[in-house]
Amino acid sequence: MPADVDVSRETKATLKGFEALLLKWNATINLISRNTVDAAWSRHIEDSVQLLPFLGSSTSIVDLGSGGGLPAIPLAIVTREDHASRYFTLIESDRRKSEFLRTAIRTYGLNAEVITSRIEEAPAQNADLCMARALAPCTKLFGYAERHLAKEARCLFMKGANLENELVDARQTWSFSSTAHRSQTDQTATILEVEHLVRL
């Protein structure tokens, strides 16, 4: 587990169960890259769980383009006992991936739901927090998030090595404040925290 995240033995066992479910479904549905299968625990489970300290007091969280449920499902697993009021909404347009997500939610009794829809067509969620992992460049990502954010809400985006260029582009059409946090699982990756997002 990431250094600043402490989970119980039972929770870790549940995360291991989800990893196994993810890999089982990945054999027929492309949920994660095939070349990351052997490192799924660190590349996907721990990578997702490291967001936990950044969730703060958020109770309504939207995961955009959820795919294999990353980061939402691992986060829902680690918070289900201590934050009973926290609710995750996973938006995913692919029906087969949505079925996987619903299976995981049902299997582990998570406080979450799946909306099978394109992000820009899904009902506005008025969420406290918007998340996405490896989904789109910031300019497009901000447009997706704007639809689903409550006033004064935050975003957490898991970004790669091209982040600085993306932020330069985004500032052409968006006003926002941001903080970049170094990923604990990938030295080339960043957790981008965004606030005060306004379209210019």
Side-chain angles (χ1 to χ4, degrees):
M1 284 291 103
D4 52 356
V5 177
D6 185 29
V7 302
S8 68
R9 185 179 304 170
E10 178 184 353
T11 295
K12 187 171 183 179
T14 304
L15 288 170
K16 284 289 187 182
F18 172 67
E19 178 193 22
L21 185 70
L22 180 70
L23 294 178
K24 178 181 177 182
W25 280 65
N26 200 63
T28 54
I29 300 175
N30 186 31
L31 298 171
I32 61 172
S33 171
R34 300 296 172 116
N35 61 16
T36 66
V37 165
D38 290 342
W41 180 256
S42 61
R43 289 288 298 274
H44 300 294
I45 307 303
E46 290 187 328
D47 191 54
S48 297
V49 170
Q50 71 172 319
L51 290 188
L52 182 63
F54 301 104
L55 300 188
S57 60
S58 300
T59 57
S60 173
I61 300 175
V62 172
D63 188 24
L64 304 174
S66 196
L70 306 161
I73 297 293
L75 288 169
I77 289 172
V78 298
T79 65
R80 62 181 178 174
E81 294 177 0
D82 296 335
H83 297 275
S85 63
R86 182 172 284 161
Y87 195 83
F88 292 82
T89 301
L90 289 66
I91 302 178
E92 171 54 50
S93 62
D94 187 287
R95 293 191 176 278
R96 294 190 304 164
K97 291 179 181 178
S98 292
E99 184 55 37
F100 164 74
L101 297 173
R102 291 190 179 96
T103 298
I105 290 167
R106 187 169 57 248
T107 300
Y108 304 112
L110 304 178
N111 201 18
E113 69 172 324
V114 181
I115 297 176
T116 305
S117 170
R118 293 174 59 87
I119 298 166
E120 61 271 34
E121 296 172 358
Q125 295 301 302
N126 198 39
D128 299 334
L129 182 67
C130 228
M131 306 186 302
R133 181 178 189 253
L135 181 62
C138 284
T139 300
K140 192 169 186 177
L141 201 51
F142 291 175
Y144 288 155
E146 180 190 37
R147 175 179 179 82
H148 298 289
L149 287 172
K151 188 176 181 180
E152 299 303 320
R154 294 182 301 128
C155 303
L156 289 175
F157 299 134
M158 306 181 81
K159 303 299 295 178
N162 196 43
L163 176 59
E164 289 304 319
N165 291 332
E166 289 187 25
L167 290 176
V168 170
D169 290 343
R171 291 191 189 280
Q172 303 302 310
T173 49
W174 295 95
S175 172
F176 58 94
S177 59
S178 64
T179 305
H181 307 276
R182 185 180 298 277
S183 169
Q184 294 185 44
T185 61
D186 182 349
Q187 291 302 306
T188 67
T190 301
I191 298 165
L192 180 69
E193 187 172 10
V194 176
E195 298 180 276
H196 314 301
L197 183 64
V198 178
R199 191 186 295 268
L200 296 176

